[in-house]
Short mmCIF file of all heavy atoms in Angstrom, two decimals:
data_model
loop_
_atom_site.label_atom_id
_atom_site.label_comp_id
_atom_site.label_asym_id
_atom_site.label_seq_id
_atom_site.Cartn_x
_atom_site.Cartn_y
_atom_site.Cartn_z
N ASP Z 8 19.48 -28.64 30.73
CA ASP Z 8 20.85 -28.92 30.90
C ASP Z 8 21.69 -28.97 29.59
O ASP Z 8 21.16 -29.03 28.48
CB ASP Z 8 21.17 -30.34 31.61
CG ASP Z 8 20.55 -30.31 33.04
OD1 ASP Z 8 21.10 -29.44 33.86
OD2 ASP Z 8 19.70 -31.18 33.27
N GLY Z 9 23.01 -28.69 29.73
CA GLY Z 9 23.80 -28.81 28.57
C GLY Z 9 25.17 -28.16 28.81
O GLY Z 9 25.44 -27.65 29.86
N PRO Z 10 26.12 -28.42 27.98
CA PRO Z 10 27.52 -27.88 28.09
C PRO Z 10 27.62 -26.35 27.95
O PRO Z 10 26.54 -25.68 27.58
CB PRO Z 10 28.24 -28.64 26.93
CG PRO Z 10 27.26 -28.84 25.94
CD PRO Z 10 26.02 -29.19 26.58
N ALA Z 11 28.67 -25.81 28.23
CA ALA Z 11 28.95 -24.43 28.11
C ALA Z 11 28.67 -23.89 26.74
O ALA Z 11 28.92 -24.55 25.77
CB ALA Z 11 30.37 -24.02 28.54
N ALA Z 12 27.94 -22.73 26.66
CA ALA Z 12 27.65 -21.94 25.41
C ALA Z 12 26.79 -22.89 24.46
O ALA Z 12 27.03 -22.62 23.34
CB ALA Z 12 29.03 -21.60 24.86
N LYS Z 15 21.71 -22.61 25.98
CA LYS Z 15 20.68 -22.93 27.05
C LYS Z 15 20.22 -21.67 27.64
O LYS Z 15 19.03 -21.62 28.03
CB LYS Z 15 21.10 -24.14 27.82
CG LYS Z 15 22.22 -23.90 28.71
CD LYS Z 15 22.62 -25.21 29.41
CE LYS Z 15 23.67 -25.04 30.42
NZ LYS Z 15 24.86 -24.13 29.94
N SER Z 16 21.06 -20.76 28.04
CA SER Z 16 20.56 -19.61 28.80
C SER Z 16 19.69 -18.81 27.95
O SER Z 16 18.59 -18.49 28.39
CB SER Z 16 21.74 -18.63 29.21
OG SER Z 16 22.59 -19.42 30.08
N ASN Z 32 18.86 -19.34 36.62
CA ASN Z 32 20.20 -19.82 35.94
C ASN Z 32 21.16 -20.30 37.06
O ASN Z 32 21.71 -19.53 37.63
CB ASN Z 32 20.70 -18.54 35.24
CG ASN Z 32 22.13 -18.86 34.74
OD1 ASN Z 32 22.69 -19.87 34.92
ND2 ASN Z 32 22.65 -17.84 33.87
N SER Z 33 21.14 -21.67 37.25
CA SER Z 33 22.06 -22.20 38.35
C SER Z 33 23.46 -21.87 38.15
O SER Z 33 24.20 -21.84 39.14
CB SER Z 33 21.68 -23.65 38.52
OG SER Z 33 22.10 -24.34 37.51
N GLY Z 34 23.92 -21.75 36.87
CA GLY Z 34 25.38 -21.46 36.59
C GLY Z 34 25.67 -20.15 37.38
O GLY Z 34 26.83 -20.01 37.91
N SER Z 35 24.86 -19.15 37.34
CA SER Z 35 25.16 -17.86 38.04
C SER Z 35 25.33 -17.97 39.54
O SER Z 35 25.97 -17.24 40.07
CB SER Z 35 24.06 -16.86 37.68
OG SER Z 35 22.86 -17.11 38.39
N TYR Z 37 26.83 -20.79 40.96
CA TYR Z 37 28.18 -21.21 41.02
C TYR Z 37 29.08 -20.11 40.85
O TYR Z 37 30.28 -20.01 41.33
CB TYR Z 37 28.37 -22.49 40.16
CG TYR Z 37 27.61 -23.67 40.73
CD1 TYR Z 37 26.55 -24.05 40.10
CD2 TYR Z 37 28.01 -24.32 41.77
CE1 TYR Z 37 25.65 -25.16 40.66
CE2 TYR Z 37 27.42 -25.50 42.24
CZ TYR Z 37 26.32 -25.82 41.64
OH TYR Z 37 25.55 -26.86 42.15
N ARG Z 38 28.76 -19.32 39.81
CA ARG Z 38 29.59 -18.21 39.56
C ARG Z 38 29.76 -17.24 40.56
O ARG Z 38 30.79 -16.62 40.96
CB ARG Z 38 29.15 -17.35 38.17
CG ARG Z 38 29.38 -18.38 37.03
CD ARG Z 38 28.81 -17.76 35.76
NE ARG Z 38 29.09 -18.48 34.56
CZ ARG Z 38 30.19 -18.24 33.82
NH1 ARG Z 38 31.03 -17.36 34.07
NH2 ARG Z 38 30.50 -19.08 32.80
N ILE Z 86 29.77 -11.96 37.39
CA ILE Z 86 29.81 -13.44 37.08
C ILE Z 86 30.54 -13.66 35.73
O ILE Z 86 30.75 -14.84 35.45
CB ILE Z 86 28.42 -14.10 37.05
CG1 ILE Z 86 27.48 -13.30 36.06
CG2 ILE Z 86 27.81 -14.01 38.52
CD1 ILE Z 86 26.15 -14.16 35.87
N ASN Z 92 35.35 -17.27 35.18
CA ASN Z 92 35.27 -18.39 34.07
C ASN Z 92 36.35 -19.42 34.27
O ASN Z 92 35.92 -20.68 34.15
CB ASN Z 92 35.61 -17.71 32.76
CG ASN Z 92 34.38 -17.07 32.25
OD1 ASN Z 92 33.20 -17.39 32.28
ND2 ASN Z 92 34.63 -15.99 31.46
N VAL Z 95 35.46 -21.46 38.09
CA VAL Z 95 34.17 -21.89 38.46
C VAL Z 95 34.00 -23.44 38.56
O VAL Z 95 33.32 -24.09 39.39
CB VAL Z 95 32.83 -21.20 37.68
CG1 VAL Z 95 33.14 -21.70 36.27
CG2 VAL Z 95 31.68 -21.42 38.29
N SER Z 96 34.70 -24.13 37.61
CA SER Z 96 34.55 -25.60 37.68
C SER Z 96 35.22 -26.21 38.95
O SER Z 96 34.67 -27.20 39.48
CB SER Z 96 35.22 -26.25 36.38
OG SER Z 96 34.45 -25.82 35.23
N ALA Z 99 32.55 -25.60 41.77
CA ALA Z 99 31.43 -26.30 41.41
C ALA Z 99 31.64 -27.77 41.81
O ALA Z 99 30.63 -28.48 41.85
CB ALA Z 99 30.95 -26.07 40.05
N ARG Z 100 32.88 -28.34 41.82
CA ARG Z 100 33.01 -29.82 42.02
C ARG Z 100 32.99 -30.14 43.50
O ARG Z 100 32.87 -31.40 43.86
CB ARG Z 100 34.39 -30.28 41.32
CG ARG Z 100 35.49 -29.91 42.28
CD ARG Z 100 36.77 -30.16 41.59
NE ARG Z 100 37.77 -29.31 42.16
CZ ARG Z 100 39.05 -29.61 42.48
NH1 ARG Z 100 39.42 -30.80 42.19
NH2 ARG Z 100 39.74 -28.74 43.11
N ARG Z 105 27.71 -27.46 46.19
CA ARG Z 105 26.61 -27.99 45.44
C ARG Z 105 25.31 -28.13 46.36
O ARG Z 105 24.24 -27.77 46.06
CB ARG Z 105 26.84 -29.33 44.81
CG ARG Z 105 27.99 -29.30 43.89
CD ARG Z 105 28.13 -30.41 42.74
NE ARG Z 105 27.03 -30.26 41.78
CZ ARG Z 105 27.18 -29.24 40.67
NH1 ARG Z 105 28.17 -28.65 40.59
NH2 ARG Z 105 26.14 -29.17 39.97
N VAL Z 108 23.92 -24.51 46.91
CA VAL Z 108 23.20 -24.10 45.66
C VAL Z 108 22.00 -24.86 45.58
O VAL Z 108 20.92 -24.25 45.26
CB VAL Z 108 24.14 -24.24 44.39
CG1 VAL Z 108 23.33 -24.03 43.27
CG2 VAL Z 108 25.26 -23.31 44.53
N ASN Z 109 21.88 -26.17 45.69
CA ASN Z 109 20.86 -27.04 45.56
C ASN Z 109 19.61 -26.57 46.56
O ASN Z 109 18.38 -26.61 46.28
CB ASN Z 109 21.15 -28.47 45.62
CG ASN Z 109 21.80 -28.96 44.43
OD1 ASN Z 109 21.91 -28.27 43.47
ND2 ASN Z 109 22.50 -30.15 44.52
N LEU Z 112 18.08 -23.65 45.16
CA LEU Z 112 17.20 -24.07 43.90
C LEU Z 112 15.95 -24.54 44.33
O LEU Z 112 14.83 -24.21 43.89
CB LEU Z 112 18.12 -24.99 43.02
CG LEU Z 112 19.24 -24.45 42.36
CD1 LEU Z 112 19.98 -25.58 41.60
CD2 LEU Z 112 18.95 -23.12 41.48
N GLU Z 124 18.03 -23.90 34.59
CA GLU Z 124 19.13 -24.46 33.55
C GLU Z 124 20.41 -24.59 34.31
O GLU Z 124 20.68 -23.95 35.31
CB GLU Z 124 19.25 -23.37 32.42
CG GLU Z 124 19.85 -22.06 32.92
CD GLU Z 124 20.92 -21.49 32.08
OE1 GLU Z 124 21.94 -22.19 31.91
OE2 GLU Z 124 20.72 -20.41 31.57
N GLY Z 125 21.21 -25.68 33.92
CA GLY Z 125 22.43 -25.96 34.50
C GLY Z 125 23.15 -27.14 33.86
O GLY Z 125 23.15 -27.22 32.66
N ARG Z 126 23.76 -27.98 34.79
CA ARG Z 126 24.61 -29.06 34.27
C ARG Z 126 23.85 -30.44 34.79
O ARG Z 126 24.03 -31.48 34.32
CB ARG Z 126 25.92 -28.99 34.77
CG ARG Z 126 26.71 -27.83 34.26
CD ARG Z 126 26.77 -27.94 32.72
NE ARG Z 126 27.76 -26.82 32.25
CZ ARG Z 126 27.55 -25.54 32.27
NH1 ARG Z 126 26.39 -25.16 32.61
NH2 ARG Z 126 28.39 -24.65 31.73
N ASP Z 127 23.22 -30.28 35.91
CA ASP Z 127 22.71 -31.44 36.62
C ASP Z 127 21.23 -31.37 37.20
O ASP Z 127 20.76 -31.98 38.08
CB ASP Z 127 23.66 -31.71 38.00
CG ASP Z 127 23.44 -30.57 38.94
OD1 ASP Z 127 23.09 -29.44 38.59
OD2 ASP Z 127 23.66 -30.71 40.22
N ILE Z 128 20.46 -30.47 36.44
CA ILE Z 128 19.19 -30.15 36.99
C ILE Z 128 18.36 -31.36 36.81
O ILE Z 128 17.47 -31.71 37.63
CB ILE Z 128 18.61 -28.87 36.19
CG1 ILE Z 128 19.57 -27.70 36.39
CG2 ILE Z 128 17.31 -28.42 36.78
CD1 ILE Z 128 20.03 -27.33 37.94
N VAL Z 132 19.24 -32.49 40.58
CA VAL Z 132 18.57 -31.60 41.40
C VAL Z 132 17.07 -31.80 41.44
O VAL Z 132 16.42 -31.80 42.46
CB VAL Z 132 18.92 -30.06 40.99
CG1 VAL Z 132 18.31 -29.01 42.02
CG2 VAL Z 132 20.36 -29.87 40.88
N ARG Z 153 30.62 -18.41 22.52
CA ARG Z 153 31.25 -17.66 23.67
C ARG Z 153 32.04 -16.52 23.16
O ARG Z 153 31.97 -15.38 23.79
CB ARG Z 153 32.09 -18.75 24.36
CG ARG Z 153 32.67 -18.24 25.58
CD ARG Z 153 31.60 -17.65 26.63
NE ARG Z 153 31.31 -18.58 27.59
CZ ARG Z 153 30.09 -18.91 28.00
NH1 ARG Z 153 29.01 -18.49 27.44
NH2 ARG Z 153 29.87 -19.68 29.01
N ASP Z 160 36.80 -17.54 27.60
CA ASP Z 160 37.13 -18.69 28.31
C ASP Z 160 37.01 -19.99 27.26
O ASP Z 160 36.37 -19.86 26.32
CB ASP Z 160 36.21 -18.97 29.47
CG ASP Z 160 34.67 -19.06 29.08
OD1 ASP Z 160 34.33 -18.30 28.14
OD2 ASP Z 160 34.07 -19.95 29.64
N ARG Z 165 36.39 -26.38 30.32
CA ARG Z 165 35.34 -26.35 31.41
C ARG Z 165 34.43 -27.54 31.33
O ARG Z 165 34.11 -28.13 32.33
CB ARG Z 165 34.50 -25.00 31.32
CG ARG Z 165 33.90 -24.61 32.47
CD ARG Z 165 33.88 -23.19 32.91
NE ARG Z 165 33.48 -22.32 31.70
CZ ARG Z 165 32.15 -22.12 31.56
NH1 ARG Z 165 31.23 -22.62 32.38
NH2 ARG Z 165 31.71 -21.39 30.52
N ASP Z 166 34.02 -27.95 30.03
CA ASP Z 166 33.13 -28.95 29.84
C ASP Z 166 33.87 -30.31 30.36
O ASP Z 166 33.29 -31.16 30.94
CB ASP Z 166 32.85 -29.26 28.46
CG ASP Z 166 31.89 -28.19 28.01
OD1 ASP Z 166 31.21 -27.47 28.85
OD2 ASP Z 166 31.75 -28.00 26.72
N ASP Z 169 33.66 -30.26 34.06
CA ASP Z 169 32.27 -30.46 34.52
C ASP Z 169 31.83 -31.95 34.31
O ASP Z 169 30.91 -32.33 35.03
CB ASP Z 169 31.42 -29.40 33.92
CG ASP Z 169 31.62 -27.98 34.34
OD1 ASP Z 169 32.35 -27.83 35.31
OD2 ASP Z 169 31.23 -27.14 33.47
N ARG Z 172 33.87 -34.62 37.02
CA ARG Z 172 33.90 -34.54 38.40
C ARG Z 172 32.99 -35.75 38.97
O ARG Z 172 32.16 -36.25 38.46
CB ARG Z 172 33.30 -33.16 38.83
CG ARG Z 172 31.84 -33.07 38.67
CD ARG Z 172 31.36 -31.70 39.16
NE ARG Z 172 29.99 -31.48 38.73
CZ ARG Z 172 29.44 -30.45 38.20
NH1 ARG Z 172 30.21 -29.33 37.97
NH2 ARG Z 172 28.14 -30.36 37.91
N THR Z 174 30.94 -35.60 41.87
CA THR Z 174 29.51 -35.29 42.12
C THR Z 174 28.67 -34.56 41.15
O THR Z 174 29.18 -33.58 40.68
CB THR Z 174 29.61 -34.35 43.52
OG1 THR Z 174 30.56 -34.92 44.47
CG2 THR Z 174 28.27 -34.05 44.04
N ALA Z 175 27.55 -35.05 40.78
CA ALA Z 175 26.69 -34.66 39.85
C ALA Z 175 27.25 -33.97 38.58
O ALA Z 175 27.21 -32.80 38.22
CB ALA Z 175 25.85 -33.52 40.57
O1 LIG V 301 26.05 -22.24 32.81
P1 LIG V 301 27.35 -21.55 33.24
O2 LIG V 301 28.36 -21.70 32.18
O3 LIG V 301 27.24 -20.11 33.69
O4 LIG V 301 27.93 -22.43 34.47
C1 LIG V 301 29.11 -22.14 35.09
C2 LIG V 301 29.72 -23.15 35.77
O5 LIG V 301 29.00 -23.61 36.93
C3 LIG V 301 29.80 -24.52 34.88
O6 LIG V 301 31.05 -24.53 34.20
C4 LIG V 301 29.86 -25.65 35.89
C5 LIG V 301 28.94 -25.02 37.08
N1 LIG V 301 27.53 -25.53 37.14
C6 LIG V 301 27.31 -26.79 37.70
O7 LIG V 301 28.21 -27.36 38.14
N2 LIG V 301 25.96 -27.17 37.85
C7 LIG V 301 25.04 -26.53 37.42
N3 LIG V 301 23.75 -26.90 37.58
C8 LIG V 301 25.32 -25.26 36.67
C9 LIG V 301 26.57 -24.81 36.57
#
Side-chain angles (χ1 to χ4, degrees):
D8 290 299
K15 60 190 188 312
S16 299
N32 175 351
S33 66
S35 72
Y37 289 102
R38 287 172 177 272
I86 59 172
N92 280 330
V95 66
S96 292
R100 79 190 152 136
R105 306 202 69 79
V108 169
N109 290 347
L112 297 178
E124 63 136 302
R126 301 293 188 290
D127 63 338
I128 305 304
V132 188
R153 186 53 104 229
D160 65 321
R165 198 141 55 84
D166 290 341
D169 296 339
R172 69 180 174 225
T174 308

